Amino acid sequence: MNKIILSEYNNCWNNQFLEEADKIKSAVKFTAIYIDHVGSTSVEGLSSKPIIDILISLCDWSAIENLVDELKNLGYAVSEKCDEVPRYFLTKYNENNAGNYHIHICEPHHRWGRDMLVFKNELAADNKFSKEYVDLKKKLAQVNSYDIEGYMIGKKGFIEKRLREVDSEFGVNRLLSYQRSESNRAEFLQIYMMIAQLIIAVIAATSVYLNNKIYLFSLAILGFILMLVWLFLSQGQQRHRSAGDQARRVVLLISGLNIMPSAGQNLRISDRFNVTITKKTLRREEDHFSTREAPSYKRLVEMIEESSYWTCYLQKVSAKIMCIILSLLVVTIFIVSGAAIMSLDSNNLISLSRAMIALMIFVISSDSLGLLLAYKNASSAIDEVFNRVEAISVKGYLKSDALLLMTDYNSAIEKAPTTLPFVYKFSRKKLNKKWRIYSEGKLNSTL
């Protein structure tokens, strides 16, 4: 039995993988496969046994026998086969450790392959964690110098613990928490954007009264800086909004239909989150959705029904608030301008007119007027989605109807503006009561 020896990271390992991957691709042209470098040799800087681990994701499992035959022609031997999973494990060893390879074959969506990719990503992203892993391997290699089974068992608990932690990142509770937190951040950034726009409008209005070149130049510089701030806030707002929308779509798939994204999609989704989830901000699926149906098209439709009910209400409340804000702004402009007109000469009236024009430009160009109209349009579109649920339920929750409803719901939500800050917080208790009354009435009507 060979002794377990860990080698320091070798830059040649990646080249060996690329060369072997090219050989496999050249030999396997009859079916679609994905080839990934996994294991410790795939992470730069990590000590490892000098064995290149290769993950092959086979899209059409009916071609597995042909794939294995081609790999045998390349010098591989089948070491493990599992029909239930399904998966294959093949090995190829050369003398003096010059090009040793392990090949793992599974379907693209399978958990076995996903775990390899996720663990590789964790090692590459967290230096502290990767060091702990290397230290553990070195310790195990000393204790189990000639016992590869003991060495693997020793690593298993460490790996599985990390994977459980990562799984929580992609669980429904975690995703719901990200959805709410990202949306909250987007809501606050939207308010900051409006404040920046208001200050810019005030600067523009003030500038018409000034003749001092230094003051005017200073205001121009300040306005330019605020414009850059607005652009920065706008990018952040869109980024947080997009991340929240992504989390919502994944929640519908996982919780509604029990469809899990692939490993690559999970990693992409995780990379887009920009907030930190704490125990205080963690949300639970059972508190978010009232439906207790098992994953199915019926559950998906009921989730959309509840979400659209809440979102439509929040959009309407936001529209009312924006209407009040705009009304107060217009009234203020008329009162101030009316009082000023009575006491100004013609030259000052020109200056006042310019100031009023600047303020009106703010109302038109800012999100104020646009938000009011957007909130009204969004509430109508989401309400239309909500009203379609009854017809879908009568037809027995057909697959086509449920998926089309989900598509239209996502479209309506993503076109809708972000609700104003605190609207959700202050409306939550009232909305819970309204939804409970609606649900009870709906249940009684079916009895």
Side-chain angles (χ1 to χ4, degrees):
M1 184 177 292
N2 294 329
K3 183 178 181 180
I4 298 173
I5 299 176
L6 297 180
S7 303
E8 294 300 317
Y9 180 78
N10 191 329
N11 291 322
C12 294
W13 288 342
N14 187 57
N15 292 332
Q16 290 177 16
F17 161 73
L18 294 175
E19 291 173 3
E20 194 70 10
D22 286 340
K23 292 179 183 178
I24 296 171
K25 289 177 183 177
S26 298
V28 183
K29 295 183 178 180
F30 51 85
T31 188
I33 59 173
Y34 298 97
I35 303 178
D36 290 285
H37 189 186
V38 294
S40 296
T41 59
S42 66
V43 181
E44 186 175 354
L46 255 63
S47 300
S48 174
K49 300 192 303 298
I51 301 174
I52 309 301
D53 282 283
I54 299 174
L55 172 64
I56 297 180
S57 301
L58 177 61
C59 298
D60 180 8
W61 197 254
S62 64
I64 182 61
E65 295 299 334
N66 291 334
L67 173 59
V68 171
D69 288 342
E70 292 296 339
L71 293 175
K72 287 179 179 178
N73 292 335
L74 293 176
Y76 287 90
V78 176
S79 295
E80 185 179 343
K81 174 185 176 182
C82 181
D83 293 326
E84 294 180 1
V85 172
R87 62 184 176 86
Y88 270 77
F89 175 57
L90 297 89
T91 59
K92 181 170 73 173
Y93 300 113
N94 296 305
E95 295 182 359
N96 302 320
N97 291 329
N100 295 329
Y101 300 92
H102 287 171
I103 285 185
H104 313 264
I105 309 176
C106 64
E107 294 177 299
H109 61 274
H110 200 274
R111 180 65 177 265
W112 195 54
R114 171 195 175 278
D115 285 349
M116 292 183 188
L117 293 170
V118 170
F119 192 69
K120 168 189 172 180
N121 183 72
E122 291 297 298
L123 289 172
D126 190 335
N127 291 332
K128 181 180 178 181
F129 173 69
S130 62
K131 184 179 184 304
E132 291 175 357
Y133 184 56
V134 170
D135 291 342
L136 173 65
K137 291 201 298 181
K138 289 180 178 179
K139 181 179 179 180
L140 291 171
Q142 291 178 348
V143 176
N144 305 279
S145 300
Y146 294 93
D147 182 8
I148 187 63
E149 184 176 349
Y151 175 80
M152 297 301 292
I153 291 175
K155 293 196 305 177
K156 184 178 180 181
F158 183 88
I159 295 172
E160 289 181 346
K161 179 177 181 294
R162 186 67 170 200
L163 290 174
R164 284 195 299 270
E165 293 173 355
V166 174
D167 273 344
S168 67
E169 292 289 328
F170 303 116
V172 173
N173 292 343
R174 201 77 175 178
L175 288 167
L176 284 171
S177 304
Y178 276 120
Q179 177 188 343
R180 187 67 254 166
S181 296
E182 294 284 3
S183 298
N184 285 342
R185 189 70 61 85
E187 290 168 5
F188 279 105
L189 288 177
Q190 182 171 281
I191 291 297
Y192 296 150
M193 289 166 59
M194 292 180 64
I195 292 174
Q197 287 175 305
L198 176 60
I199 296 174
I200 292 173
V202 171
I203 289 174
T206 304
S207 66
V208 301
Y209 291 101
L210 298 177
N211 295 318
N212 188 296
K213 294 180 179 180
I214 296 178
Y215 289 160
L216 284 172
F217 181 74
S218 299
L219 287 178
I221 294 296
L222 179 59
F224 179 74
I225 293 173
L226 285 171
M227 183 185 71
L228 294 179
V229 171
W230 183 89
L231 289 172
F232 176 77
L233 292 173
S234 176
Q235 291 296 315
Q237 196 266 353
Q238 292 177 21
R239 186 168 60 252
H240 287 292
R241 172 68 188 271
S242 177
D245 287 339
Q246 180 75 80
R248 185 198 65 257
R249 291 193 294 268
V250 179
V251 166
L252 290 176
L253 288 176
I254 297 177
S255 181
L257 299 176
N258 197 28
I259 296 177
M260 297 296 298
S262 66
Q265 288 297 310
N266 278 339
L267 296 176
R268 184 183 66 81
I269 293 166
S270 178
D271 288 342
R272 296 184 67 179
F273 293 139
N274 306 286
V275 297
T276 301
I277 300 301
T278 63
K279 289 183 178 180
K280 185 177 180 180
T281 58
L282 187 64
R283 299 176 62 81
R284 299 188 179 280
E285 181 181 12
E286 56 269 24
D287 297 329
H288 194 81
F289 298 112
S290 61
T291 178
R292 292 298 177 261
E293 292 288 331
S296 60
Y297 293 113
K298 181 178 181 180
R299 176 178 174 82
L300 175 65
V301 170
E302 290 184 350
M303 289 169 60
I304 293 173
E305 179 185 27
E306 183 173 1
S307 296
S308 59
Y309 184 91
W310 278 66
T311 308
C312 182
Y313 181 87
L314 295 175
Q315 292 285 316
K316 289 179 179 179
V317 172
S318 296
K320 290 179 181 178
I321 294 175
M322 287 308 305
C323 187
I324 293 172
I325 292 174
L326 278 172
S327 299
L328 291 174
L329 183 59
V330 171
V331 170
T332 301
I333 290 174
F334 274 104
I335 292 175
V336 173
S337 60
I341 288 173
M342 301 297 294
S343 59
L344 293 178
D345 56 31
S346 59
N347 290 331
N348 287 331
L349 278 174
I350 293 174
S351 297
L352 177 62
S353 299
R354 291 173 179 170
M356 290 178 62
I357 290 172
L359 289 173
M360 285 187 287
I361 289 174
F362 159 74
V363 173
I364 296 173
S365 63
S366 72
D367 290 337
S368 302
L369 184 58
L371 277 176
L372 173 60
L373 298 176
Y375 283 133
K376 288 183 173 294
N377 292 335
S379 62
S380 297
I382 297 170
D383 191 46
E384 189 272 335
V385 170
F386 174 78
N387 291 329
R388 285 164 53 187
V389 170
E390 184 176 355
I392 293 175
S393 64
V394 170
K395 294 180 181 179
Y397 301 98
L398 299 177
K399 175 181 178 180
S400 57
D401 289 344
L403 294 181
L404 183 59
L405 183 74
M406 181 177 69
T407 301
D408 292 343
Y409 167 74
N410 283 329
S411 176
I413 294 296
E414 287 161 24
K415 289 179 181 178
T418 306
T419 54
L420 295 174
F422 305 116
V423 169
Y424 174 80
K425 181 179 179 180
F426 290 118
S427 302
R428 187 175 181 180
K429 186 175 181 180
K430 182 178 180 180
L431 257 174
N432 269 322
K433 183 178 180 180
K434 288 172 66 69
W435 174 253
R436 186 168 59 252
I437 294 172
Y438 169 80
S439 300
E440 290 174 355
K442 183 179 178 181
L443 180 62
N444 292 333
S445 66
T446 59
L447 297 178

